[in-house]
Amino acid sequence: MNRRTYLRTVGTGAAIGLAGCLGGGGNPNVSLSKPDRENDVTSEQLPYPAWGQQVPDVTLRDPLSGTDVAVRDIDVPHFHTFFFTNCMTVCPVLISALREVQIHSVSEGYADKVGFYPITFDPARDDAAAFRKEADEMNVDMDAGNWHFLRAEDEAETKSVVEEQFGVFFEQNEPMEDGNYMFTHLGLVMLVNGDGYVERTYRGNEPDEQTLIDDLTALREA
């Protein structure tokens, strides 16, 4: 089974990446131990970069700051998720989970030592204004300086970056009567270390905020 076929098979099922103890499991690129997975699935069998694998060498735009971000060069532990601002189902839950981690980082004084980089797959609508509205509605603390909404230039680049390189399936649905459209997509959060290697992946519609915080804490203390 190839990565794309597996991607479409897993859909938005239960979380694959689970909390674990330190150790790296023999992989020198990561600090957290190899996660327990259903059916002994390996990172190589998953469609997206998983434990011990490097994120793609891609550069995306942060329209709120007007800067480009090379995701492999982010030098602090950070989270990625994949979303669109018009979503009314899983995306608000994913953003909310990361926001809770951001709140923890601010209240515990390590906001400058972690980053949050949600990536949209709807560049046609998700511009700076849409991201600013999303931050306001989701109570994201943009003043903390560690949250960066990212987007590709256009739909073709988004397909290349999100689906082909990150391995995150998404598909635009047929427009509704008012012209609005939604996406079917994989629910995924990635925890990546400061060298660009994935420490944990959390697949599913409701990532556990405490697990995200606990794994981040373990990574920061490694």
Side-chain angles (χ1 to χ4, degrees):
M1 182 182 293
N2 62 34
R3 290 168 72 88
R4 179 60 59 82
T5 301
Y6 188 92
L7 181 153
R8 292 179 180 275
T9 300
V10 297
T12 56
I16 281 288
L18 302 177
C21 56
L22 299 178
N27 189 320
N29 298 313
V30 293
S31 297
L32 301 186
S33 63
K34 184 178 180 179
D36 296 326
R37 297 192 181 111
E38 297 175 2
N39 303 319
D40 295 323
V41 172
T42 67
S43 294
E44 290 73 23
Q45 291 174 299
L46 293 169
Y48 41 78
W51 179 83
Q53 296 182 320
Q54 202 166 23
V55 294
D57 185 12
V58 297
T59 299
L60 296 168
R61 188 72 171 173
D62 174 358
L64 290 180
S65 68
T67 60
D68 292 329
V69 175
V71 299
R72 196 178 276 184
D73 294 340
I74 301 169
D75 60 1
V76 295
H78 55 280
F79 292 93
H80 290 298
T81 194
F82 305 85
F83 81 114
F84 65 110
T85 63
N86 282 274
C87 180
M88 296 180 290
T89 54
V90 61
C91 299
V93 180
L94 298 173
I95 296 297
S96 177
L98 294 189
R99 181 203 62 207
E100 292 303 309
V101 183
Q102 186 199 38
I103 290 172
H104 187 268
S105 77
V106 173
S107 64
E108 296 299 317
Y110 65 93
D112 60 336
K113 296 179 175 62
V114 63
F116 304 87
Y117 294 84
I119 299 172
T120 181
F121 36 77
D122 188 14
R125 297 182 293 186
D126 285 348
D127 53 14
F131 287 148
R132 194 172 294 110
K133 180 181 178 183
E134 178 81 354
D136 289 342
E137 292 180 348
M138 297 301 298
N139 296 315
V140 173
D141 185 358
M142 299 305 295
D143 292 333
N146 61 3
W147 190 288
H148 307 270
F149 290 107
L150 301 181
R151 69 188 298 274
E153 182 65 27
D154 52 33
E155 293 181 10
E157 184 183 4
T158 300
K159 200 73 172 178
S160 172
V161 169
V162 175
E163 188 163 82
E164 295 175 13
Q165 298 188 65
F166 271 103
V168 176
F169 166 74
F170 70 96
E171 185 172 57
Q172 183 176 321
N173 300 332
E174 290 295 324
M176 294 176 280
E177 291 184 1
D178 60 1
N180 193 25
Y181 56 87
M182 298 288 119
F183 289 86
T184 299
H185 65 92
L186 180 69
L188 187 74
V189 173
M190 294 180 178
L191 171 58
V192 185
N193 65 33
D195 294 317
Y197 287 89
V198 177
E199 297 275 358
R200 286 288 181 268
T201 51
Y202 314 88
R203 195 183 74 227
N205 294 351
E206 297 182 9
D208 181 73
E209 295 136 9
Q210 192 58 52
T211 298
L212 301 183
I213 292 171
D214 290 346
D215 286 346
L216 174 61
T217 300
L219 175 58
R220 293 182 53 244
E221 294 178 348

